[in-house]
Amino acid sequence: MIKSPICELLGIEYPVFQGGMAWIADGNLAAAVSNGGGLGIIAAGNAPASYVKEQIGVARSLTDKPFGVNVMLMSPAADEVAAVVAEEKVPVVTTGAGNPTKYMKLWREAGVKVIPIVPSVSMAKLMTRLGASAVIAEGCESGGHIGELTTMVLVPLICDATPLPVIAAGGIADGREGAAAFMLGACGIQMGTRFLSAVECPIHPTYKEKVIKANDLCTMVTGKRLGHPVRSLRTPFARRFYKAEYSDMSDEELDSLGVGALRLAVKEGDVENGTFLCGQVAALVNKVQPAAEIVKEIMDDTERVLNGASEWVK
Ligand code: TUI
């Protein structure tokens, strides 16, 4: 049994977060993860506050365990979503794709535990000063919007930079990676890609199948030219976008090429026009199983690996 300070802090059984995947992580998936003993997280993505409020209601109707909301800070609706998180007194808020400074006071005063995703040491230090409860150190192996550093480098650097509990994310899908995260100093893990294969994950069947079948070189990073690099499956659309990035297409035109692409992947499974956000660990995700089983399996496997970790120590 792995118990760490994050379990006590949040009142969860296992130190496992489900990543707040935009367009994907709804109240039903979040509740399934929370009922399995982890921390389920509803993704706000670019959705309006009304959607987030509705999904909080869905999660509350399905679980009495703690859950979270992820606020995507590049969203035009971020201000209203931040307000809903405070009004609803959601137990935990995580943030991504930006600096949440302007919401920290509002959330803390509402009793919401704030756990920002940090891609750098400076952001971890700032969040520590502003009263975050923990931070998530997400390496660039992850799917979606990514920073510069790998999990292997970022996690120990963040652990050295803050006294707060650190959750490792990016490149974690099985017990070996789970154990490695704890060895790097993390006291919990967050997984997105592994939960793409959950029974309760509401993505198009084509998306799920592509994740299950993915091999080591199946993801690529696009969007660097626009300042927001994104890791996704290497689909015809991703290749087309990549080529356009290195053409003389204007930034505006390039930006518009990506509009609506997440929805097309998630809802339609459209490989010609959709962006299938996905981490490198898709290569290690090979089966569809209930979310609660994923939570328990990775923790059991992590424990087994950690127990055998001193095999070569003489
Ligand atoms: O946020 C994520 N992953 C995401 S968000 C998303 S939706 C989206 N769609 C299209 C384009 C962009 C986003 C899909 N995947 N992960 C957490 C994360 N946060 N990664 C990197 C960051 C980050 C980056 C900069 C956090 C803070 C930050 O601060 C910059 C600053 O303002 O100083």
Side-chain angles (χ1 to χ4, degrees), residues 22 72 74 96-99 117 119 123 138 144-147 228 230 262 277:
M72 207 281 276
M74 279 167 49
N99 179 343
I117 298 183
M123 188 60 76
E138 185 185 274
H145 181 58
I146 54 173
H228 43 85
V230 162
L262 296 188
L277 299 182

Side-chain angles (χ1 to χ4, degrees), residues 31 39 52 66 74 86 95 100 109 132 149 151 156 175 177 197 200 218 224-225 242 261 263 266 281 303:
L39 186 78
V52 178
M74 279 167 49
T95 63
E109 284 177 2
L149 298 176
T151 302
E177 295 147 338
S197 73
E200 298 87 348
C218 272
K224 279 195 179 155
R225 193 179 113 189
Y242 189 82
R263 191 196 70 78
V266 174
V281 281
E303 190 174 332

Side-chain angles (χ1 to χ4, degrees), residues 3 11 14 16 62 64 154 248 262 264 276 300 305 313:
K3 284 281 171 206
Y14 300 109
V16 178
L62 296 170
D64 54 6
L154 186 64
D248 56 6
L262 296 188
L264 285 174
F276 293 69
D300 287 349
V305 176
V313 181

Side-chain angles (χ1 to χ4, degrees), residues 18-303:
Q18 159 249 312
M21 300 168 282
W23 279 99
I24 297 173
D26 59 9
N28 187 52
L29 176 63
V33 173
S34 290
N35 281 332
L39 186 78
I41 297 180
I42 296 165
N46 272 317
S50 55
Y51 166 84
V52 178
K53 194 168 173 165
E54 178 192 300
Q55 294 305 314
I56 291 168
V58 170
R60 287 208 162 117
S61 72
L62 296 170
T63 186
D64 54 6
K65 302 266 172 66
F67 64 91
V69 168
N70 174 264
V71 179
M72 207 281 276
L73 295 165
M74 279 167 49
S75 166
D79 285 353
E80 356 162 349
V81 170
V84 162
V85 165
E87 279 159 27
E88 292 287 325
K89 299 192 183 303
V90 168
V92 178
V93 64
T94 66
T95 63
N99 179 343
T101 297
K102 69 172 173 167
Y103 307 122
M104 299 281 287
K105 189 164 171 284
L106 170 77
W107 289 333
R108 290 185 63 208
E109 284 177 2
V112 179
K113 293 193 175 74
V114 186
I115 310 189
I117 298 183
V118 294
S120 64
V121 165
S122 61
M123 188 60 76
K125 286 185 171 165
L126 177 64
M127 294 301 115
T128 306
R129 279 201 300 279
L130 295 178
S133 293
V135 292
I136 301 168
E138 185 185 274
C140 59
E141 298 93 324
S142 73
H145 181 58
I146 54 173
E148 285 288 334
L149 298 176
T150 58
T151 302
M152 189 86 146
V153 172
L154 186 64
V155 173
L157 282 173
I158 303 280
C159 289
D160 286 348
T162 179
L164 295 176
V166 176
I167 314 302
I172 303 172
D174 71 22
R176 294 166 295 181
E177 295 147 338
F182 285 94
M183 302 298 279
L184 293 174
C187 69
I189 56 173
Q190 172 168 286
M191 301 187 294
T193 301
R194 176 87 194 255
F195 285 109
L196 287 175
S197 73
V199 170
E200 298 87 348
C201 184
I203 53 176
H204 191 279
T206 302
Y207 198 154
K208 219 171 264 192
E209 190 188 318
K210 288 188 86 61
V211 171
I212 300 283
K213 289 196 173 150
N215 65 24
D216 52 348
L217 300 177
C218 272
T219 73
M220 64 188 290
V221 178
T222 55
K224 279 195 179 155
R225 193 179 113 189
L226 297 172
H228 43 85
V230 162
R231 183 180 300 284
S232 67
L233 288 175
R234 195 182 290 277
T235 56
F237 177 73
R239 286 175 197 270
R240 204 150 35 89
F241 195 97
Y242 189 82
K243 269 197 190 141
E245 257 184 285
Y246 293 94
S247 74
D248 56 6
M249 186 184 275
S250 71
D251 283 0
E252 291 71 28
E253 213 181 327
L254 190 62
D255 222 358
S256 66
L257 196 62
V259 171
L262 296 188
R263 191 196 70 78
L264 285 174
V266 174
K267 305 287 181 201
E268 320 276 339
D270 180 351
V271 293
E272 294 301 327
N273 303 295
T275 298
F276 293 69
L277 299 182
C278 185
Q280 291 180 333
V281 281
L284 289 165
V285 176
N286 302 316
K287 59 180 188 276
V288 173
Q289 59 191 144
E293 198 176 295
I294 293 175
V295 172
K296 177 143 186 5
E297 188 175 285
I298 183 134
M299 272 300 114
D300 287 349
D301 290 350
T302 296
E303 190 174 332

